[in-house]
Amino acid sequence: MSTETGGTYTVDTEPSARNIEDVNLQEFAMRPVAKFVVAFLIGGVFFLLPVPYQGEITVPFDIAVSTITETFPDAVGVYSLAIIVAGGVLTTLAMVGDGEFRDFDLSSFETSGVFWLLRVSGLVLAPVMFFKLGPGWLHTPGTGGLMWGTLVYSVGIIIPIGAIFITIFVELGGLEFVGTLARPVMKPLFKVPGRAALDSLASWVGSYSVGLYVTRNVFEQGGYHKRDVFTIATCFSTVSVGFVGVVAATLDMLPLFPLIFAAYFFCVTVTAIILVRIPPISTTDPEYIAEPDPELAFSGSPGDYVKLAISEAVGKAEEGESFVQAAKRGFVDGLQLTSLILGTILAVGLAATLLSANTPVFDILGKPLTPVVAALGIPNAETVAPATIVGITEMYVPVLLVTGVAVKAKFFVAVLAVSQLIFFSSVGPMIMDMFSDVPIRFRDLLALFVLRTVILLPLIAGITHLVAALGLL
């Protein structure tokens, strides 16, 4: 049972856990079973299948995005310009016209005054970046070049392409299957439903953009409450496996990629276990914005969980859309989401990278951490200390600061940079804009960045010394 208050819902009582004998398992008809299996294979192959590409091992999703952005950069630039301008214009029309314009429903573009300003700022900045107007320092590889030619292009393509395949996977049973199997891990460790494992998996193998798209969709359908969303968005919007490889290659540590990735996975897990139990996450209200659809309370053996997972997945596939309908809806939703957030990402990200590149603010903020880094036994403390702070602007910047330091320092910064998760060139504004109804605010993200860094510094230092003691560095 749930109660509605002021447009939000709360679950009054948690149902007692049922076992496999108490559950009405789905009858396996050929058509829904085939729909689930094909959808699962499509999603699995596109996001998970390792394939060799240009001398590296990656997944088809990454190849598709890279091929589009590298083969048609001019077209991607025009598309990025158009979708940012559209987002700014439609938001303005929605805000001025109370969610409508000439009988068109623009309510999905309504937002707060702050994000209206950011989207309009993106609208103004997009032509400047596209036509390379203004001073040269605005377009350097570490500032405007990084934001426009790399992050804006990538996010603009990743979301709609990823949304096609992830919607097919989710709407035809994949979410139920993965979520049911993951419940015994996700709920006790991270206090989130098992279905959150799919959001996390989408980030690990694809992009945090795709993971956040899944989270938003499930949230709107009543599958997550606000605390779930806060946890998933800030603890599981992870750096992809491919980007960890880029970090390792930049630091000439590609042979140590398995160690860096293992340390990264361990650090993200430990920080999530801790952060979900303290504010600001733990104090977020467990309210739903739609009629609650919590997971079935269940207890059983591993075999029972497999039976339930298949049953839930087949049931979802039977009532779900066709492949074409799911793909079309995913693409349209992905384009709309892109128009909502890409201007914000450009505005906030450009400001953050310019601040990092042209002011000593992060050197000043990092100076008190020099003795801390030195006390942890990490060499080149004077260089490493600013790198522990500057990652809040863009996760790749700390890596560029330490290309010439000792191997132990490189390993330390490589793991730290990808484990901090929260940075304001992309994922920060994306989270704030997409989940303003939670809300997830700037001060919350800043507090979580500080908390993550406090937890990670000694944790990664310990891992670094252990790996060095084992003779692996």
Side-chain angles (χ1 to χ4, degrees):
M1 294 292 293
S2 63
T3 302
E4 181 182 4
T5 307
T8 60
Y9 301 78
T10 54
V11 175
D12 299 326
T13 56
E14 293 286 345
S16 57
R18 292 189 279 177
N19 56 41
I20 198 68
E21 287 79 19
D22 301 325
V23 178
N24 293 322
L25 296 177
Q26 186 75 25
E27 293 184 7
F28 293 164
M30 179 62 71
R31 182 178 174 81
V33 170
K35 282 177 70 177
F36 162 62
V37 171
V38 173
F40 193 85
L41 289 175
I42 288 173
V45 167
F46 192 65
F47 288 108
L48 294 175
L49 182 68
V51 292
Y53 178 71
Q54 295 183 349
E56 299 179 356
I57 299 297
T58 185
V59 294
F61 176 50
D62 184 44
I63 294 174
V65 172
S66 299
T67 299
I68 293 171
T69 55
E70 293 171 7
T71 307
F72 310 105
D74 293 338
V76 174
V78 172
Y79 154 77
S80 300
L81 173 64
I83 205 159
I84 291 174
V85 170
V89 170
L90 291 173
T91 298
T92 300
L93 293 175
M95 297 297 287
V96 172
D98 198 23
E100 291 186 357
F101 178 73
R102 294 184 179 178
D103 297 327
F104 287 98
D105 181 12
L106 298 178
S107 58
S108 59
F109 287 88
E110 288 186 287
T111 185
S112 67
V114 172
F115 286 104
W116 181 13
L117 176 63
L118 288 173
R119 291 176 194 175
V120 171
S121 298
L123 181 156
V124 173
L125 287 169
V128 173
M129 305 311 298
F130 180 77
F131 293 108
K132 290 186 168 53
L133 305 175
W137 51 260
L138 195 60
H139 303 279
T140 63
T143 55
L146 172 68
M147 285 306 308
W148 183 255
T150 301
L151 289 175
V152 167
Y153 281 22
S154 296
V155 172
I157 297 299
I158 282 170
I159 293 178
I161 298 299
I164 294 172
F165 292 90
I166 205 70
T167 301
I168 291 173
F169 186 85
V170 167
E171 291 300 319
L172 298 178
L175 180 63
E176 280 71 18
F177 185 76
V178 172
T180 302
L181 292 181
R183 276 186 225 173
V185 175
M186 300 301 288
K187 196 68 175 178
L189 283 184
F190 309 116
K191 299 183 179 291
V192 292
R195 54 175 65 122
L198 181 61
D199 310 52
S200 179
L201 185 63
S203 294
W204 284 105
V205 302
S207 165
Y208 52 80
S209 307
V210 179
L212 290 170
Y213 171 80
V214 175
T215 306
R216 183 70 218 180
N217 273 6
V218 178
F219 185 40
E220 290 178 346
Q221 295 170 14
Y224 295 140
H225 54 57
K226 293 181 178 181
R227 191 184 301 161
D228 293 332
V229 168
F230 208 131
T231 301
I232 297 164
T234 58
C235 294
F236 295 107
S237 298
T238 53
V239 175
S240 70
V241 177
F243 189 80
V244 179
V246 171
V247 169
T250 302
L251 296 175
D252 294 323
M253 300 182 77
L254 207 52
L256 295 177
F257 170 77
L259 280 176
I260 294 172
F261 183 80
Y264 162 49
F265 183 85
F266 178 74
C267 289
V268 168
T269 301
V270 170
T271 50
I273 291 172
I274 295 170
L275 291 176
V276 299
R277 289 165 170 81
I278 60 177
I281 295 176
S282 65
T283 53
T284 303
D285 293 328
E287 296 176 337
Y288 294 82
I289 62 169
E291 182 67 37
D293 181 28
E295 289 179 333
L296 172 71
F298 182 78
S299 177
S301 66
D304 292 339
Y305 272 97
V306 172
K307 291 178 184 176
L308 180 63
I310 296 173
S311 174
E312 296 273 292
V314 171
K316 177 66 173 179
E318 185 171 28
E319 65 186 34
E321 304 167 301
S322 69
F323 287 93
V324 173
Q325 288 172 327
K328 180 181 177 181
R329 184 168 62 81
F331 183 66
V332 172
D333 288 351
L335 283 178
Q336 180 176 318
L337 176 59
T338 304
S339 71
L340 290 173
I341 66 174
L342 208 57
T344 301
I345 290 172
L346 176 60
V348 177
L350 185 60
T353 53
L354 287 172
L355 184 68
S356 171
N358 298 296
T359 73
V361 63
F362 292 103
D363 290 330
I364 295 169
L365 291 174
K367 206 169 192 66
L369 288 174
T370 300
V372 175
V373 174
L376 291 171
I378 304 301
N380 305 105
E382 297 83 1
T383 304
V384 171
T388 64
I389 300 295
V390 74
I392 197 170
T393 62
E394 157 57 33
M395 61 180 156
Y396 196 51
V397 174
V399 179
L400 299 177
L401 294 181
V402 297
T403 53
V405 300
V407 173
K408 285 177 71 173
K410 286 183 179 180
F411 182 88
F412 177 85
V413 172
V415 178
L416 178 66
V418 295
S419 300
Q420 286 175 313
L421 299 191
I422 295 167
F423 53 96
F424 284 92
S425 65
S426 180
V427 74
M430 189 181 298
I431 289 172
M432 290 189 294
D433 203 348
M434 287 177 69
F435 303 111
S436 58
D437 48 358
V438 172
I440 302 177
R441 295 157 295 199
F442 175 81
R443 68 170 183 259
D444 298 321
L445 295 180
L446 185 60
L448 284 168
F449 177 84
V450 173
L451 288 170
R452 293 189 74 88
T453 304
V454 168
I455 295 167
L456 288 168
L457 288 179
L459 181 62
I460 299 173
I463 295 171
T464 302
H465 293 308
L466 175 62
V467 171
L470 293 173
L472 299 174
L473 286 184

